[in-house]
Amino acid sequence: MANLVIIIGAGIVGLSTAYQLQLRFPKIKIVILEKENEVAKHQTGNNSGVIHSGIYYKPGSQKAINCKSGYEKLIEFSQKNNIKYDICGKLIAAINKEEKVLLDNIFKRGIENGLTGIKKISSQEAKEIEPHLECIEAVYVPQSGIINYKKVSEKYKELFEKAGGKVVFNSKVLSISEKNNEFFVSTNSETYQANLVITCSGLWSDVITKMTVPDFKDKVLPFRGEYYEIKPEKQYLVNNLIYPVPNPNFPFLGVHFTRMIDGGIEAGPNAVLAFRREGYKKTQIHLGELFETLAFSGFRKVAGKYWRDGLDEMKRSYFKSAFTKSLQKLIPEITENDLIPGGAGVRAQVCDPAGNLIDDFLILENKGVINVVNAPSPAATASLAIGKTIVELAKKQLN
């Protein structure tokens, strides 16, 4: 039995894992190392707060399985711990015949993934739900909802510490070495000796994974998603959640409208290459990190494949008029003057050297180490399910 388990990263996946592992093994000492001064500082704390239904994901994939299971666990957890959420439903709207064909495929996928109550609705029926939406057909997804994932993360932390765990902030991991089945995790302030290391390091997952898997070749490509907020006097244009039919050639969902659980309506995000891993603004550039991305063979292949789509995303980033035009496809009444600059998030998209974007959750296991390599959306919705999966892997190692 291990003396100490180290978990790297206090995002929602790291915290969920730590909380569930501490409950399962109350006598084991578990420490989370987090380089920031609070939980959920990056991907978890900067997303749009949507509770995903699982309609988009390939049947049988880890995303599909964990989203459905995690959804149920998240709702139960939120009810038990008085975390505010709202299962408000969402519309995925087709605006032309080409999109209608793609929408049919999404609907079929939802049925295959076991979603009940989803239905195709006409333009008129869609207007009964979202009066200002223009489309030719939509899919109504009653399971979708909204929540504040930072508050969920803070509750995981609270319960983890209550069960005996410890979170160490301002603790950046610099190296991990192994000797006689013991792992030495060195940070900017201390070295920890552990029997099991679990890494949940988001935007730095490739760098941290490489510390224990030296021949790991995949790389995190950071994509910034920028949001606008709708002015209070125009928020009547959106009731809940309105999504476009996603572009099948581009691995993002497209700009959409999201009602926030704590008030307000967000529009976005786009998806542009960030010039550093934590580049939340256009002006935040790290030449070393940017060069690494541009020099990576996988990125160059992705850029060659998606350059047209990427150009459209860049236009939306630099020209408010282009962003507004995308939104007007769904809600023609919206104008540039209705939008005020909002926040931004950076998504960690793992890519292999051949230019394949890793679409599913990816966890690599070696003796004494479990690396969560790829956990993009819907990881927040699925956090309790992903955490449970990691706990089962840890259980084998600890025994």
Side-chain angles (χ1 to χ4, degrees), residues 22 157-165:
Q22 192 70 78
K157 173 184 178 285
E158 178 192 320
L159 295 174
F160 167 60
E161 289 177 326
K162 193 175 178 182

Side-chain angles (χ1 to χ4, degrees), residues 220-320:
V220 166
L221 303 180
F223 283 92
R224 184 173 62 252
E226 299 154 332
Y227 291 89
Y228 282 94
E229 293 175 12
I230 299 181
K231 286 181 177 177
E233 59 268 29
K234 286 299 185 80
Q235 288 176 8
Y236 68 85
L237 291 172
V238 179
N239 285 333
N240 291 304
L241 306 174
I242 305 172
Y243 278 64
V245 174
N247 177 351
N249 299 316
F250 203 55
F252 303 101
L253 294 178
V255 293
H256 48 267
F257 296 92
T258 308
R259 177 167 67 83
M260 310 299 286
I261 192 69
D262 297 315
I265 307 283
E266 274 189 347
N270 57 354
V272 294
L273 182 71
F275 298 150
R276 64 180 301 162
R277 288 179 191 249
E278 294 164 7
Y280 294 99
K281 297 177 182 175
K282 300 180 186 74
T283 53
Q284 292 178 322
I285 301 169
H286 187 290
L287 291 176
E289 290 176 21
L290 179 58
F291 177 76
E292 269 184 33
T293 298
L294 298 178
F296 178 57
S297 63
F299 170 75
R300 295 199 301 274
K301 286 169 183 169
V302 167
K305 198 187 302 184
Y306 297 120
W307 70 269
R308 286 185 181 86
D309 302 294
L311 202 58
D312 287 340
E313 296 292 337
M314 290 293 282
K315 283 179 189 171
R316 278 193 276 269
S317 178
Y318 285 92
F319 299 102
K320 190 179 182 183

Side-chain angles (χ1 to χ4, degrees), residues 63-111:
K63 279 188 177 181
I65 294 164
N66 283 284
C67 188
K68 191 166 190 298
S69 168
Y71 174 97
E72 292 159 1
K73 292 175 189 297
L74 177 65
I75 300 303
E76 186 183 339
F77 180 86
S78 300
Q79 288 172 345
K80 187 177 178 181
N81 292 284
N82 297 315
I83 295 170
K84 185 167 66 168
Y85 70 96
D86 184 3
I87 303 302
C88 56
K90 84 171 176 183
L91 291 180
I92 307 171
I95 60 170
N96 55 42
K97 288 181 181 176
E98 291 79 13
E99 286 192 356
K100 189 174 179 298
V101 174
L102 297 171
L103 188 65
D104 289 343
N105 294 334
I106 290 171
F107 179 75
K108 287 173 190 168
R109 185 164 274 191
I111 297 296

